[in-house]
Amino acid sequence: MSWILLASLGHAEVLINEVLYDPSGSDGPLEWVEICNNSQDDVNISGWMIEVTSSNWSEAWTFPPGTVIGGLDHYVFGPGVGDSSSFSPNIPNASSKTSGLRLVDETGLTVLDTLLYGDPNTDFWLDDLGSSAGPFAPDVSGSPLARSVDCYDTNAMLDFVESTNPTPGAPNIGGGEDCELTGEYGIVINEFVANPAGSDSDPAGREWIELRNNTSSTADLSSWSLMGGTQGPSELGVFESGTIIPAGGYLVIGGENAYMELGSAPDVVFDFSLGNATSNADGLQLVDCAGTVIDVAIYGESNEDGWTDEQGNVVVSFAPKPGDGASIGRLPDGVDSNDNGADFSELSFGTPWVQNDFVQDCPGSTDIKINEFLANPDSEESSEDATNEWVELYNSGSSDINLLGWALQWGTSSYSNQFTIEEEYWIPAGGHIVIGGESVAEADIVVSAENDLSLGAASSNADSLRLLHCGPGVSDTVIYGPSNEDGTADNTDEWIDDDGMIAESIAPKAVAGSSHARREDGLDSDDSGADFVIAQQSTPGSANPEIRCETGQFTIKINEIYPNPDGSDSGYEWVEIINVGSESVRLDDWELQTGESSWNSKLFFPPESEIGPGEIWLIGEDEVPAEFRDVTVEGTLSLGNASSGFDGVRLIDCPGQIQDSLLYAKDGAGVASDEEITEGDNGDTSAASLPESGLSLGRLPDGSDSDVNSVDFATNLEPTPGERNGGDSSGEQGSDPEPPSKGCGGDDEGGKCSAISAKTQFWIFGFAGLVGLMRRRVPPSSDPSA
């Protein structure tokens, strides 16, 4: 037969229903086949044929004229059975490859039903969907293959199962002793965790699956099974006799360590491992006691393995690929449209035993805040981070709160890590507690070295830390990392803040040895960028210094810089700023950045920093004489000498907006192609000229700003740190300087500002010539205003 048609599934009325192809003993005399009619009407099957596989499909039996199968009836034929004692087809056994039989109409051109069993399918026999890929019914011996639901065809992989209760000529019983088929189910795979946080195998057995009973009656799952896998279904476990789900209730199945994810033991323990859909879709199936696929959850991004749905159709719509620690669940809870993509979503957190779209309340859920945390104790020695990280919580409410069951979650691209508080611990109203590693002296709750916090430093893009309450639900979230030139977050992983939106404003990236702290204890606007700063002094277990975050009005200018001292630069560089406005400005947590090929943070101004109108402040390294410094930089400013392309200095206000920029370069230099520093304020692409060694670069007149660096800044000035700018080394002067304002908010006498005359004299005589002398005469001292 050169070609043949496949009957449409809707046309299928008469089906192969039960077959004994490999009986105990001699096959030929004992084989039999049962067909069934699933319609209400009688069907004349005269001339229809049973064909079996050999080297090709070959006729094994033709129904004689006048053969009729009644509506909803069963017809069996074989030696000594019914009226077909001459039937001796010798149906092949699938001992080493796929075999089968099929029902063909009287024309010999249309296949009405096909049964294929065993593997591999090296002869590429086609099923009723025209596919040779399978999967196929199992190969059995001594027992018949029977449809798991009598005379019902889905063309799914488990339509046929081995029958322990042969019923030739009668409806199939299916299943086994504990199997009760109701015909209507409504049990669904409702939620699952296939990819627990961290390594799935450390420890193994943390995956879990939740079933929901959508019916109004108790469901008996005795002898039902869960199937799952990465390239096709394999058995995950079979439910014991007496396993039930109450009407409208839930059943949670998990591995031996699933309690670590669930917070308590699962209802049923199976030994299984779910796929993470890394490169192709993986799947779950719920199969009843008769072998019928009741529900599926196929998740991932493609379906090269041919997973099918409950009706036997190849799945083309998928539940999400699970991220680390993510729960995949039906939204709305329990709703099943047989479209995995529409039915399943990634949930913010797992909700075992409760509905997926319900956030259960928990005492204190809105009161407990992440108040301060140390994500990067020491970036130079990464090993120093281990066991030294900590998170401080603050109770902003009026009642003591028990933190049993609360958890911290964190990660660099997803919430891949979790620490759960497994014992009672009360945080008092208005109080602080510290969760920290074994080396954190202030830790109230100690995290073992094996479960070290290992918070991300967010050096290249945003990381996140959040607090889950015992509901569970999210109580607080902090997203931190670098920001783009326009001040928006570098949030490529699309972390969600507590307002439910993708965060566009985030806290700064971690600075080695410095903590992130709320500007005021417990003050939470659900905007990480507005709420958190890099702390000038870490205060684990106690109140944070209050920081008043003010948006700049572009009145604070970079006025003069000293990038190239005579001799060694390190320790002697400084930057001068000036307030050209008519009002004082709080600089709490404003940031000074410098850069050669890219911008780097060098200073966060401490709390209560306030620069008055007309005041000039000097920001200097530790070798700059202490009496001249208003603010001291810990480390180096690293003002570049413009060896290639542009170098720069810029000032950023507390909310993260650039207030002023200075770009400078050697005469005639252009922007290097691989540099981040390419333009200044309002798109200015010009650069001021790098001064010679021992001279400075400053605005003339002071504070003048046209947003054109090459116009605003004069080079080779005699340094005037903390004073109005004068002229250059050739004797040319700028506009006549006004008398200097008092820097540092001090008085004319008794403060640092009283040293202005001496300071001027010092720099006029030449900083380079006095470096050695100042090293001998000026003892190291701390800056009292810093």
Side-chain angles (χ1 to χ4, degrees):
M1 193 175 298
S2 61
W3 60 275
I4 198 161
L5 298 177
L6 301 176
S8 68
L9 298 181
H11 175 74
E13 297 174 336
V14 180
L15 302 171
I16 299 168
N17 199 50
E18 191 173 2
V19 178
L20 180 63
Y21 64 85
D22 187 15
S24 300
S26 178
D27 286 5
L30 300 175
E31 293 177 353
W32 50 265
V33 177
E34 177 192 85
I35 61 175
C36 64
N37 179 4
N38 62 21
S39 72
Q40 299 283 341
D41 301 321
D42 294 349
V43 177
N44 189 332
I45 59 173
S46 300
W48 290 21
M49 291 171 283
I50 292 290
E51 295 183 341
V52 298
T53 58
S54 54
S55 58
N56 53 30
W57 287 105
S58 60
E59 181 182 333
W61 169 258
T62 300
F63 292 94
T67 305
V68 174
I69 181 171
L72 304 178
D73 203 357
H74 298 73
Y75 185 95
V76 64
F77 48 95
V81 179
D83 60 357
S84 53
S85 58
S86 61
F87 173 69
S88 182
N90 194 21
I91 306 171
N93 301 337
S95 55
S96 60
K97 62 181 181 178
T98 302
S99 298
L101 69 160
R102 67 186 185 184
L103 179 65
V104 183
D105 72 1
E106 71 280 3
T107 68
L109 300 177
T110 303
V111 175
L112 302 172
D113 192 29
T114 305
L115 166 59
L116 297 175
Y117 46 90
D119 57 57
N121 188 12
T122 53
D123 293 318
F124 300 101
W125 306 117
L126 301 181
D127 61 19
D128 288 334
L129 298 176
S131 171
S132 63
F136 309 117
D139 179 29
V140 298
S141 179
S143 301
L145 282 174
R147 288 191 180 273
S148 56
V149 176
D150 184 69
C151 210
Y152 180 75
D153 188 18
T154 68
N155 282 299
M157 57 194 75
L158 290 176
D159 276 351
F160 280 87
V161 296
E162 182 175 7
S163 173
T164 56
N165 300 290
T167 57
N172 298 343
I173 296 176
E177 295 179 358
D178 296 325
C179 188
E180 296 180 8
L181 301 178
T182 64
E184 293 185 12
Y185 292 112
I187 313 300
V188 297
I189 299 167
N190 198 51
E191 186 181 359
F192 59 94
V193 169
N195 187 11
S199 171
D200 292 5
S201 59
D202 187 22
R206 290 179 290 140
E207 293 97 337
W208 56 269
I209 304 163
E210 177 193 75
L211 306 181
R212 174 179 164 84
N213 181 0
N214 286 332
T215 74
S216 58
S217 304
T218 296
D220 186 352
L221 300 189
S222 301
S223 298
W224 286 39
S225 61
L226 277 171
M227 311 286 289
T230 57
Q231 294 179 312
S234 58
E235 186 178 283
L236 304 181
V238 178
F239 295 105
E240 294 181 354
S241 178
T243 304
I244 63 170
I245 309 181
Y250 302 87
L251 185 78
V252 175
I253 304 98
E256 62 178 355
N257 290 310
Y259 70 91
M260 298 173 66
E261 304 291 322
L262 297 166
S264 58
D267 301 308
V268 176
V269 175
F270 285 163
D271 181 14
F272 63 88
S273 178
L274 305 179
N276 294 344
T278 304
S279 58
N280 191 23
D282 294 340
L284 286 170
Q285 295 177 337
L286 176 63
V287 180
D288 75 3
C289 55
T292 303
V293 177
I294 301 303
D295 191 36
V296 301
I298 311 300
Y299 54 96
E301 298 172 352
S302 64
N303 189 13
E304 297 176 7
D305 295 319
W307 288 92
T308 56
D309 62 17
E310 299 88 338
Q311 286 74 43
N313 302 312
V314 175
V315 173
V316 296
S317 175
F318 312 106
K321 175 182 176 180
D324 270 2
S327 166
I328 307 299
R330 294 185 183 273
L331 283 180
D333 189 70
V335 171
D336 184 12
S337 68
N338 290 330
D339 181 336
N340 285 264
D343 293 342
F344 286 93
S345 299
E346 183 171 301
L347 306 180
S348 297
F349 45 88
T351 58
W353 293 289
V354 296
Q355 64 191 58
N356 297 339
D357 46 2
F358 173 71
V359 179
Q360 185 172 335
D361 195 15
C362 176
S365 60
T366 61
D367 296 330
I368 311 301
K369 304 295 180 183
I370 298 169
N371 202 54
E372 188 178 0
F373 63 97
L374 182 63
N376 187 8
D378 186 349
S379 64
E380 300 300 326
E381 297 288 341
S382 59
S383 61
E384 293 298 316
D385 285 3
T387 73
N388 283 283
E389 297 177 359
W390 50 266
V391 178
E392 176 193 81
L393 305 181
Y394 174 72
N395 183 356
S396 63
S398 57
S399 301
D400 298 352
I401 301 299
N402 185 2
L403 297 180
L404 174 65
W406 291 55
L408 290 172
Q409 287 187 336
W410 65 95
T412 57
S413 59
S414 64
Y415 290 109
S416 56
N417 300 280
Q418 177 168 318
F419 172 76
T420 302
I421 301 173
E422 298 180 348
E423 298 179 355
E424 284 196 2
Y425 196 95
W426 291 82
I427 179 171
H432 306 74
I433 70 157
V434 175
I435 302 171
E438 294 177 353
S439 300
V440 178
E442 300 86 354
D444 301 293
I445 299 175
V446 177
V447 181
S448 67
E450 293 77 15
N451 301 303
D452 189 48
L453 289 174
S454 300
L455 304 176
S459 56
S460 58
N461 54 34
D463 294 345
S464 189
L465 167 69
R466 70 180 181 181
L467 176 66
L468 302 186
H469 61 68
C470 57
V474 179
S475 279
D476 193 27
T477 305
V478 186
I479 302 165
Y480 57 101
S483 293
N484 301 312
E485 288 289 327
D486 61 359
T488 59
D490 186 359
N491 185 13
T492 55
D493 294 313
E494 299 187 339
W495 294 105
I496 304 297
D497 218 330
D498 289 331
D499 59 5
M501 306 295 289
I502 295 174
E504 295 184 353
S505 171
I506 60 177
K509 65 182 180 181
V511 174
S514 297
S515 62
H516 287 77
R518 287 192 183 273
R519 294 191 169 95
E520 182 179 339
D521 277 5
L523 185 64
D524 186 10
S525 67
D526 290 338
D527 181 335
S528 296
D531 293 339
F532 278 86
V533 298
I534 297 297
Q536 296 296 310
Q537 180 180 0
S538 297
T539 57
S542 58
N544 298 341
E546 183 178 347
I547 295 176
R548 195 167 78 196
C549 185
E550 291 191 359
T551 300
Q553 301 300 319
F554 305 101
T555 60
I556 312 302
K557 304 295 180 182
I558 298 165
N559 200 49
E560 187 179 2
I561 67 169
Y562 189 59
N564 191 12
D566 283 329
S568 173
D569 290 2
S570 179
Y572 300 96
E573 295 178 343
W574 49 262
V575 173
E576 178 187 270
I577 62 174
I578 185 172
N579 181 357
V580 299
S582 59
E583 297 181 353
S584 295
V585 177
R586 284 287 290 265
L587 301 183
D588 301 29
D589 211 54
W590 283 40
E591 182 181 5
L592 183 72
Q593 293 183 341
T594 69
E596 296 177 76
S597 62
S598 61
W599 294 108
N600 294 283
S601 177
K602 294 299 177 182
L603 170 72
F604 285 93
F605 286 84
E608 301 181 0
S609 298
E610 185 168 353
I611 183 170
E615 280 192 0
I616 296 174
W617 279 14
L618 190 72
I619 303 162
E621 296 178 346
D622 57 5
E623 293 290 345
V624 175
E627 63 266 29
F628 298 160
R629 284 182 265 126
D630 295 286
V631 181
T632 301
V633 175
E634 298 293 336
T636 61
L637 282 168
S638 300
L639 298 172
N641 292 341
S643 56
S644 64
F646 289 1
D647 289 351
V649 183
R650 68 182 182 182
L651 189 64
I652 301 174
D653 68 12
C654 182
Q657 188 173 22
I658 298 172
Q659 291 294 303
D660 192 32
S661 300
L662 161 60
L663 304 185
Y664 57 96
K666 293 179 180 178
D667 289 340
V671 179
S673 60
D674 61 345
E675 288 191 351
E676 175 184 315
I677 302 172
T678 58
E679 60 181 41
D681 300 332
N682 292 322
D684 175 34
T685 57
S686 72
S689 295
L690 175 73
E692 296 175 3
S693 176
L695 300 177
S696 70
L697 177 66
R699 293 185 188 271
L700 283 181
D702 290 277
S704 61
D705 188 5
S706 67
D707 286 337
V708 180
N709 286 298
S710 60
V711 172
D712 295 336
F713 284 87
T715 192
N716 293 328
L717 299 179
E718 293 291 348
T720 57
E723 295 189 18
R724 299 291 187 180
N725 294 340
D728 62 16
S729 58
S730 65
E732 295 180 5
Q733 300 294 316
S735 60
D736 293 336
E738 298 178 4
S741 300
K742 297 186 290 290
C744 332
D747 298 327
D748 284 336
E749 296 182 2
K752 289 164 55 181
C753 296
S754 64
I756 287 175
S757 297
K759 178 163 48 176
T760 303
Q761 183 178 17
F762 175 82
W763 291 101
I764 289 175
F765 278 115
F767 181 72
L770 294 178
V771 164
L773 176 62
M774 294 307 298
R775 283 178 175 170
R776 293 191 298 271
R777 296 181 59 187
V778 180
S781 61
S782 60
D783 182 354
S785 70

